[in-house]
């Protein structure tokens, strides 16, 4: 069975600085999808970024980028120029093709951006 | 395009009652998944529907059930509520049946907060 581990329960960063959130996963699959979701205090789960395992290039979305290390089964999220609005729970998630909706989530990292 | 909507947003029930939650996916999305989120267990997959058929189910008792209608809207039902069913229930939709690149991505609704007293 696949598992997702986020080893940092809480992190904080100063506004405008850069922070990296860690995620590791365990799978025997060769092709799969990885996601980072953000859940602010409003509880709405928002997609931050996604990565397809067959793509070697790391995904980027504006201030958000990932470091995808397939051999190490690592998928970290880097947030540059942190903003107060980035304060949220961040969840790393895994899905294999054909899993029919079953996203497997990590326990989450609570990120606080301080002014 | 409107996002995933869930109703109601908040519910308070007592033990033994049953509850029905509703989810309307993004227009054009045919797959709907449901998740339970609790502080202790985190996010857990309940089930997934596509074309009115349940294709996958998580490890939850039979008290948890769902269905999907021809317009892709979905409902989930919990019967004989227990205190431990108190949670945030999230619905997510994705574009098509076959996971393929961006179409595998799930988009979430705001959730329904269920409190069982």
């Amino acid at each position: 069975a696949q598992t997702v581990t986020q080893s940092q329960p809480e992190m904080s960063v100063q506004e405008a600085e850069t922070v990296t959130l860690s995620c590791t996963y365990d799978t025997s699959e060769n092709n799969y999808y990885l996601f980072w979701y953000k859940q602010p205090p409003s509880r709405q789960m928002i997609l931050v970024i996604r990565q397809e395992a067959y793509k070697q290039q790391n995904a980027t979305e504006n201030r958000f980028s990932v470091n995808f290390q397939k051999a190490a089964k690592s998928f970290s999220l880097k947030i540059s120029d942190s903003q107060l609005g980035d304060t949220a729970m961040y969840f790393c998630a895994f899905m294999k093709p054909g899993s029919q909706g079953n996203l497997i989530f990590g326990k989450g990292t609570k990120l606080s951006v301080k002014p | 395009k409107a996002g995933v909507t869930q109703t109601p947003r908040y519910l308070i029930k007592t033990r033994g009652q049953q509850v029905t939650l509703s989810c309307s996916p993004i227009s054009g999305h045919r797959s709907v998944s449901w998740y339970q989120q609790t502080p202790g267990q985190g996010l857990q997959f309940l089930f997934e529907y596509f074309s009115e058929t349940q294709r996958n189910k998580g490890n939850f008792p039979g008290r948890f059930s769902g269905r999907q209608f021809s317009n892709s809207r979905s409902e989930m039902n919990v019967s004989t509520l227990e205190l431990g069913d108190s949670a945030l229930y999230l619905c997510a939709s994705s574009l098509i049946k076959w996971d393929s690149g961006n179409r595998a991505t799930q988009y979430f609704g705001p959730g329904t907060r269920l409190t069982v007293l």
Side-chain angles (χ1 to χ4, degrees):
Chain A
Q2 289 79 18
T3 58
V4 177
T5 301
Q6 293 180 249
S7 59
Q8 305 149 315
E10 291 192 44
M11 295 187 73
S12 66
V13 63
Q14 292 296 128
E15 198 174 6
E17 292 188 347
T18 296
V19 64
T20 298
L21 309 183
S22 301
C23 172
T24 58
Y25 57 93
D26 186 26
T27 184
S28 58
E29 303 288 332
N30 185 52
N31 192 25
Y32 45 86
Y33 308 107
L34 294 164
F35 305 87
W36 279 99
Y37 283 91
K38 163 186 174 181
Q39 190 178 40
S42 67
R43 311 300 286 176
Q44 173 88 47
M45 191 78 78
I46 300 164
L47 174 70
V48 175
I49 200 164
R50 71 181 141 235
Q51 176 81 41
E52 295 159 43
Y54 66 86
K55 292 185 177 179
Q56 292 185 333
Q57 187 173 5
N58 288 324
T60 63
E61 287 287 342
N62 301 314
R63 298 182 295 107
F64 300 89
S65 61
V66 297
N67 183 5
F68 173 49
Q69 301 290 328
K70 191 173 184 179
K73 296 180 183 176
S74 171
F75 183 60
S76 61
L77 174 70
K78 185 172 83 170
I79 306 174
S80 305
D81 185 26
S82 296
Q83 300 175 1
L84 296 178
D86 295 334
T87 293
M89 282 290 290
Y90 286 81
F91 293 95
C92 178
F94 169 100
M95 187 168 70
K96 65 177 184 178
S99 62
Q100 296 163 347
N102 187 0
L103 266 174
I104 298 169
F105 286 90
K107 292 294 187 183
T109 296
K110 184 177 181 180
L111 177 67
S112 299
V113 180
K114 301 185 183 305
Chain B
K1 187 181 279 191
V4 179
T5 58
Q6 291 186 246
T7 56
R9 294 293 310 278
Y10 302 92
L11 266 179
I12 299 175
K13 293 286 187 179
T14 56
R15 280 181 298 174
Q17 288 186 310
Q18 75 165 16
V19 67
T20 299
L21 313 182
S22 181
C23 171
S24 292
I26 292 171
S27 178
H29 285 197
R30 298 173 64 189
S31 170
V32 174
S33 299
W34 289 88
Y35 296 85
Q36 181 195 65
Q37 185 177 22
T38 60
Q41 298 299 316
L43 283 145
Q44 295 183 285
F45 172 73
L46 280 156
F47 29 65
E48 187 261 3
Y49 285 86
F50 179 85
S51 291
E52 303 177 63
T53 300
Q54 185 183 92
R55 298 194 298 166
N56 198 3
K57 190 177 192 302
N59 188 25
F60 279 82
R63 300 185 297 106
F64 292 82
S65 63
R67 59 178 175 168
Q68 187 181 35
F69 301 93
S70 58
N71 62 357
S72 296
R73 189 176 70 85
S74 177
E75 290 181 347
M76 69 163 281
N77 184 275
V78 188
S79 62
T80 319
L81 284 166
E82 300 177 0
L83 295 179
D85 297 334
S86 294
L88 181 68
Y89 290 88
L90 293 166
C91 164
S93 73
S94 61
L95 189 56
I96 63 168
K97 177 180 182 179
W98 303 109
D99 298 324
S100 175
N102 295 343
R103 290 170 286 185
T105 301
Q106 295 185 28
Y107 297 90
F108 285 81
T112 294
R113 167 73 65 186
L114 172 64
T115 301
V116 183
L117 302 176

